[in-house]
Amino acid sequence: MSKKTDSAEAFVTEITPRSEDFSRWYLDVVRRAELADYSPVKGCMVIRPYGYAIWELIQQALDRRFKDTGHVNAYFPLFIPESLLKKEAEHVEGFAPQVAYVTHGGGEELDEKLVVRPTSEAIIGTMYGKWIQSWRDLPILINQWANVVRWEKVTRPFLRTTEFLWQEGHTAHETEAEAEEETLKILALYKEMVETELAMPVVTGRKSESERFAGALRTYSIEALMGDCRALQAGTSHNLGQNFAKAFDITFQARDKSVQHVWGTSWGVSTRLVGAVIMTHGDDSGLVLPPRVAPYQAVIVPIPRGNWQETVLPKARELRDALARGGIRVTLDDRDAYTPGWKFAEWELRGVPLRLEIGPKDIEKSSVLVARRDTRQKLPVSLDGLVEHIRHLLDDVQRTLFDRAVKFRDDHTRRLSTYDEFKAAMEGRPGFVIAPWCGSADCEAQIKAETQATIRNMPLDAPRPSGRCIRCDRPAIAEAWFAKAYSPAPASVCECLSARRAAA
Ligand SMILES: [Zn+2]
């Protein structure tokens, strides 16, 4: 923090109110909460320690789950020889506008240009072609934590940047059924992780044909509703079929001795999830972090009265140590150049779930005053059994944020049956609209052109619709969830290919 003031108000007014301009609010929060900063490289962000700590917690939560389901991590090169990328025609064509090349190295022009990976199917597929000979080598269940580069013209911290961090899973299987099982297993894993750790409810479902990764059999996604009622694609999982296996010659001798191509999947989520947390839970005072991904779950602010440095401060340190020993991520704000009011506003802005205030009077009463970031309730808590109490409160904050997000999503989800109603609703930003759809890509494109709404996905467990398409009145094939959305997540190869197709 660069300046000192007694006015907590002044601090907070540096953030544009969420209701006034959501987009400005988002950028203000990212900057003032010190999550990320712009860099000297256009389109690339610097993830600052506080933002990176959130990503690390997301990473750990995912990595645990990947390993629990039999996946292992590996690392493949940042550079891909251009000829490899070209092996899959649609792949190279889809990425062409976004690809960065290395043409020189060691002071010499390279014989072959190197692509800075936009995704790793080409290099991983090439290696799988070498590693897999027999059905005994299958399945291969590899995940990679990496950075990727996609040259972007319009960027926004965490949501879309030229370089971003992600994980990309790439698996190879003996049968189509196994690949489909893996694709859906990961989709369910993403949903469970995002709902449990980020307190962010998502709709899981299948993408429409036009949003499907070209060459894949099926693409699935998790979709969330942000605080401005726009939908955000938060992750994707693809059943790739045998497309990449054919392009990269990934074959194996099957149990019946025949030579077959493997069945593949790929799946990813990225640092975009940090943006999703900000936009799902944040308010006019700034960030609101779910405890499970909060770098600090609690902050202790000593109240300076009398000779507080001899009385209050030692007690505050004792509490900090006790909480830390109890497994709670806690920090003690003992800076004496700032007033408590300033500190309260700053930690609110930074979204810390619980604030513990302790002064001479609290010590007399053997208690602390705990303020919740989510409800802004303040309650005295006895120092007796404090760790246990704080744990319960953190669980309660986590649950409250999830319940609140579910309620917001449900309050902004409706079912419509006429196109007039649909168009009227989409003049504003209604959130999700569930409507029957005929399955035609032309009809989908017309809906988008006329209303800006896109099909986010079609939930797997939805009953088969008996009605007629919301727009064209032909028999419906699915219940689709429509919304105005943030441009698709840079979370998988599929968006780039659909962008190519949309442009064609
Ligand atoms: Zn239709």
Side-chain angles (χ1 to χ4, degrees):
M1 296 297 111
S2 56
K3 61 180 178 178
K4 181 187 162 185
T5 169
D6 284 346
S7 166
E9 298 271 305
F11 195 110
V12 172
T13 51
E14 288 180 35
I15 301 180
T16 308
R18 219 174 77 123
S19 54
E20 191 183 300
D21 183 342
F22 193 86
S23 180
R24 280 278 308 280
W25 167 85
Y26 176 79
L27 295 174
D28 288 348
V29 171
V30 166
R31 186 178 52 84
R32 296 296 287 117
E34 299 183 352
L35 299 173
D37 204 351
Y38 295 102
S39 79
V41 188
K42 192 169 175 288
C44 293
M45 67 170 166
V46 175
I47 305 177
R48 301 185 68 175
Y50 197 61
Y52 198 78
I54 298 173
W55 174 240
E56 281 181 314
L57 289 162
I58 293 173
Q59 252 190 326
Q60 287 159 17
L62 276 169
D63 204 61
R64 212 162 44 232
R65 287 168 171 81
F66 293 155
K67 285 169 181 164
D68 285 349
T69 46
H71 300 84
V72 290
N73 288 331
Y75 189 77
F76 296 84
L78 170 66
F79 304 119
I80 303 173
E82 190 186 23
S83 57
L84 282 190
L85 198 71
K86 281 184 169 166
K87 278 193 178 181
E88 219 293 330
E90 284 182 331
H91 196 54
V92 68
E93 198 186 328
F95 278 103
Q98 288 183 299
V99 162
Y101 287 100
V102 175
T103 57
H104 289 73
E108 285 169 24
E109 187 167 351
L110 304 179
D111 293 336
E112 181 180 357
K113 281 194 286 188
L114 296 173
V115 170
V116 183
R117 66 179 162 220
T119 177
S120 301
E121 272 81 0
I123 192 111
I124 294 179
T126 303
M127 299 313 293
Y128 283 6
K130 290 185 183 176
W131 295 343
I132 299 166
Q133 266 94 46
S134 150
W135 63 269
R136 291 179 195 83
D137 301 325
L138 296 171
I140 288 196
L141 307 172
I142 287 181
N143 174 62
Q144 160 166 271
W145 289 100
N147 58 343
V148 285
V149 168
R150 296 175 187 175
W151 222 254
E152 297 286 356
K153 294 203 167 64
V154 181
T155 58
R156 180 178 291 260
F158 295 111
L159 298 180
R160 183 171 291 277
T161 49
T162 292
E163 181 192 14
F164 59 90
L165 305 181
W166 76 343
Q167 58 72 215
E168 47 180 323
H170 296 265
T171 69
H173 307 264
E174 253 184 285
T175 65
E176 181 184 346
E178 279 176 37
E180 180 71 3
E181 189 190 328
E182 168 78 5
T183 312
L184 292 177
K185 182 194 282 179
I186 295 297
L187 188 75
L189 183 155
Y190 282 159
K191 177 182 168 71
E192 185 277 326
M193 193 292 284
V194 162
E195 294 193 339
T196 306
E197 309 285 338
L198 310 187
M200 183 171 87
V202 291
V203 184
T204 55
R206 188 173 161 180
K207 283 292 197 185
S208 66
E209 287 293 294
S210 65
E211 296 274 327
R212 175 176 61 83
F213 166 35
L217 295 181
R218 286 173 281 276
T219 286
Y220 302 93
S221 71
I222 52 171
E223 304 279 339
L225 196 64
M226 301 293 101
D228 62 347
C229 281
R230 278 207 277 175
L232 186 83
Q233 181 175 295
T236 47
S237 184
H238 315 293
N239 182 338
L240 299 177
Q242 293 176 308
N243 187 48
F244 278 86
K246 286 175 179 163
F248 293 94
D249 200 25
I250 316 171
T251 58
F252 69 103
Q253 191 176 52
R255 291 168 201 256
D256 64 4
K257 305 280 188 247
S258 65
V259 173
Q260 296 182 16
H261 287 99
V262 299
W263 297 83
T265 81
S266 70
W267 27 273
V269 297
S270 70
T271 34
R272 164 172 269 229
L273 287 178
V274 178
V277 169
I278 302 168
M279 295 195 294
T280 299
H281 302 298
D283 63 18
D284 280 350
S285 304
L287 202 56
V288 179
L289 288 173
R292 282 168 172 266
V293 290
Y296 299 124
Q297 297 169 312
V299 56
I300 301 170
V301 179
I303 307 300
R305 298 265 190 282
N307 58 339
W308 71 284
Q309 276 162 325
E310 277 89 64
T311 55
V312 176
L313 198 54
K315 192 69 190 169
R317 290 195 179 118
E318 199 183 296
L319 293 184
R320 177 196 57 195
D321 295 347
L323 289 170
R325 272 196 308 275
I328 291 159
R329 293 188 290 275
V330 61
T331 185
L332 168 63
D333 189 350
D334 56 3
R335 295 173 296 175
D336 55 9
Y338 297 89
T339 63
W342 167 271
K343 291 178 183 180
F344 295 171
E346 182 184 352
W347 292 110
E348 272 180 17
L349 166 69
R350 302 187 90 189
V352 176
L354 297 178
R355 180 178 76 232
L356 279 58
E357 302 168 23
I358 184 161
K361 283 194 182 135
D362 302 295
I363 295 176
E364 271 170 35
K365 288 182 281 182
S366 189
S367 69
V368 288
L369 194 61
V370 178
R372 286 174 65 142
R373 177 64 180 89
D374 60 335
T375 58
R376 296 177 177 280
Q377 280 171 313
K378 282 187 167 195
L379 58 159
V381 172
S382 166
L383 293 182
D384 231 23
L386 180 70
V387 174
E388 210 38 45
H389 206 102
I390 293 296
R391 268 201 214 115
H392 283 304
L393 275 174
L394 289 171
D395 286 346
D396 198 60
V397 173
Q398 185 83 24
R399 202 166 31 242
T400 302
L401 288 178
F402 181 70
D403 291 347
R404 189 190 283 175
V406 169
K407 182 172 188 311
F408 180 84
R409 199 255 323 260
D410 291 350
D411 286 348
H412 294 91
T413 300
R414 57 181 130 156
R415 200 174 284 274
L416 295 177
S417 52
T418 75
Y419 198 49
D420 283 342
E421 288 170 338
F422 187 94
K423 278 193 290 191
M426 288 300 173
E427 273 169 26
R429 209 177 285 149
F432 286 121
V433 172
I434 307 170
W437 172 60
C438 62
S440 147
D442 284 344
C443 187
E444 185 185 5
Q446 281 299 321
I447 292 170
K448 185 177 181 183
E450 287 161 9
T451 67
Q452 295 179 314
T454 51
I455 294 177
R456 304 318 306 151
N457 66 26
M458 294 166 278
L460 304 173
D461 51 7
R464 220 182 153 69
S466 50
R468 310 188 78 83
C469 176
I470 184 85
R471 182 182 160 274
C472 70
D473 212 39
R474 279 178 291 191
I477 60 135
E479 292 262 272
W481 284 54
F482 291 87
K484 289 182 178 170
Y486 284 85
S487 47
S492 74
V493 62
C494 75
E495 291 84 15
C496 305
L497 290 161
S498 27
R500 175 190 64 76
R501 285 200 302 210

